[in-house]
Amino acid sequence: MKVMVVAPHPDDETLGCGGTLLKHKAAGDEIYWLIMTNISGEEGYDEKKVQDRQQEIEMVAGEYGFEYIFKLDFPTTKLDIIPRNKLINSISKVIDRVKPEIIYLPNRNDIHSDHKITFDTAISSVKTFRCPFIRKLLMYEVVSETEFTPPLQNNSFIPNSFSDISKFMDKKISIMNLYKGEMREYPFPRSVENLKALATFRGATAGIRYVEAFMMIKDIW
């Protein structure tokens, strides 16, 4: 089975479904990583920071065992100024190349505009008549993005699919720690304690120790 995660930024794949990706890999599935944005010197980032980020991506990819990383290299935090048809065409080309059966997408209502636009353009790229090979579409939640969405009814993340990641929780955290500067001490949202707290909270709903929760958009079986 081919599985793809669409990440607005490097680290979203791990925060949102890192344990589930490890679980897919352990089951013998092929996993692919599509990263929408990147940092560059042209956007004002220090050269060392740019090099360090690329090294982090390679290290993270090695830990997961991705078959391939697709870097679209759009400027981070600026997806809102990129023409939508350009984003859709770029995503569509990757999906058509891989032909994944399962795709994980960011939550459509996350507070970060890159997350919202990634969802909107990705969902436009996976219409059934264009991609009949896709059997499952799921939205993942990302700490510090999903929970900070204004608490309005139509913004709610209400999971209806639960992945047992109890065997993979420790490795998920170790992978997240490869992203230098992204994890901090509690009560910062991206802390070891908070990642475990969310997995524990979602797990309590499913009667499991640690869980990653999703909103199922499509499930054909």
Side-chain angles (χ1 to χ4, degrees), residues 34-53:
L34 170 56
I35 310 172
M36 293 292 292
T37 66
N38 210 338
I39 60 175
S40 66
E42 290 80 4
E43 295 297 322
Y45 288 91
D46 176 81
E47 183 179 347
K48 185 177 186 306
K49 174 65 174 175
V50 173
Q51 292 176 349
D52 288 347
R53 175 47 58 93

Side-chain angles (χ1 to χ4, degrees), residues 9 34 43 47 100 103 121 128 156 158 161 206 214:
H9 318 98
L34 170 56
E43 295 297 322
E47 183 179 347
I103 299 181
T121 51
T128 303
S156 300
I158 305 173
S161 180
F214 304 94

Side-chain angles (χ1 to χ4, degrees), residues 50-100:
V50 173
Q51 292 176 349
D52 288 347
R53 175 47 58 93
Q54 308 320 307
Q55 290 175 358
E56 289 169 359
I57 291 171
E58 294 301 323
M59 287 190 295
V60 167
E63 289 296 307
Y64 282 112
F66 284 110
E67 302 295 325
Y68 199 86
I69 314 168
F70 298 90
K71 299 179 185 178
L72 299 188
D73 289 336
F74 293 111
T76 188
T77 74
K78 295 183 179 180
L79 288 184
D80 58 337
I81 67 173
I82 309 297
R84 290 297 178 98
N85 66 325
K86 185 174 182 179
L87 295 171
I88 292 170
N89 288 339
S90 298
I91 296 170
S92 295
K93 287 178 182 177
V94 173
I95 291 175
D96 190 55
R97 175 176 168 180
V98 175
K99 293 182 168 50

Side-chain angles (χ1 to χ4, degrees), residues 105-110 115-116 119 139-140 146 157 215:
L105 302 173
N107 174 36
R108 69 186 183 96
N109 290 315
D110 280 358
H115 287 227
K116 294 176 181 178
F119 176 85
M139 289 194 309
Y140 56 79
T146 305
F157 183 88
M215 289 183 67

Side-chain angles (χ1 to χ4, degrees), residues 23-204:
K23 185 176 175 180
H24 277 297
K25 189 66 178 180
D29 296 335
E30 295 180 11
I31 57 175
Y32 297 83
W33 186 11
L34 170 56
I35 310 172
M36 293 292 292
T37 66
N38 210 338
I39 60 175
S40 66
E42 290 80 4
E43 295 297 322
Y45 288 91
D46 176 81
E47 183 179 347
K48 185 177 186 306
K49 174 65 174 175
V50 173
Q51 292 176 349
D52 288 347
R53 175 47 58 93
Q54 308 320 307
Q55 290 175 358
E56 289 169 359
I57 291 171
E58 294 301 323
M59 287 190 295
V60 167
E63 289 296 307
Y64 282 112
F66 284 110
E67 302 295 325
Y68 199 86
I69 314 168
F70 298 90
K71 299 179 185 178
L72 299 188
D73 289 336
F74 293 111
T76 188
T77 74
K78 295 183 179 180
L79 288 184
D80 58 337
I81 67 173
I82 309 297
R84 290 297 178 98
N85 66 325
K86 185 174 182 179
L87 295 171
I88 292 170
N89 288 339
S90 298
I91 296 170
S92 295
K93 287 178 182 177
V94 173
I95 291 175
D96 190 55
R97 175 176 168 180
V98 175
K99 293 182 168 50
E101 295 154 89
I102 300 175
I103 299 181
Y104 294 95
L105 302 173
N107 174 36
R108 69 186 183 96
N109 290 315
D110 280 358
I111 196 67
H112 200 307
S113 61
D114 282 353
H115 287 227
K116 294 176 181 178
I117 294 167
T118 295
F119 176 85
D120 287 344
T121 51
I123 205 69
S124 296
S125 305
V126 295
K127 294 177 181 178
T128 303
F129 63 86
R130 290 181 182 150
C131 307
F133 44 83
I134 297 174
R135 313 305 291 177
K136 290 187 179 183
L137 286 173
L138 304 100
M139 289 194 309
Y140 56 79
E141 59 183 334
V142 171
V143 291
S144 80
E145 302 295 352
T146 305
E147 78 272 25
F148 286 114
T149 300
L152 305 174
Q153 186 174 4
N154 64 337
N155 287 340
S156 300
F157 183 88
I158 305 173
N160 57 2
S161 180
F162 302 87
S163 172
D164 183 354
I165 63 163
S166 302
K167 295 180 180 179
F168 306 100
M169 189 71 211
D170 290 341
K171 188 165 184 179
K172 169 176 174 162
I173 291 171
S174 71
I175 292 174
M176 191 60 209
N177 281 327
L178 294 175
Y179 290 110
K180 301 303 180 186
E182 295 297 334
M183 296 282 280
R184 301 183 194 173
E185 295 297 318
Y186 182 83
F188 188 71
R190 295 182 177 185
S191 61
V192 171
E193 292 88 346
N194 203 37
L195 293 188
K196 285 188 173 181
L198 178 60
T200 300
F201 174 67
R202 295 305 189 195

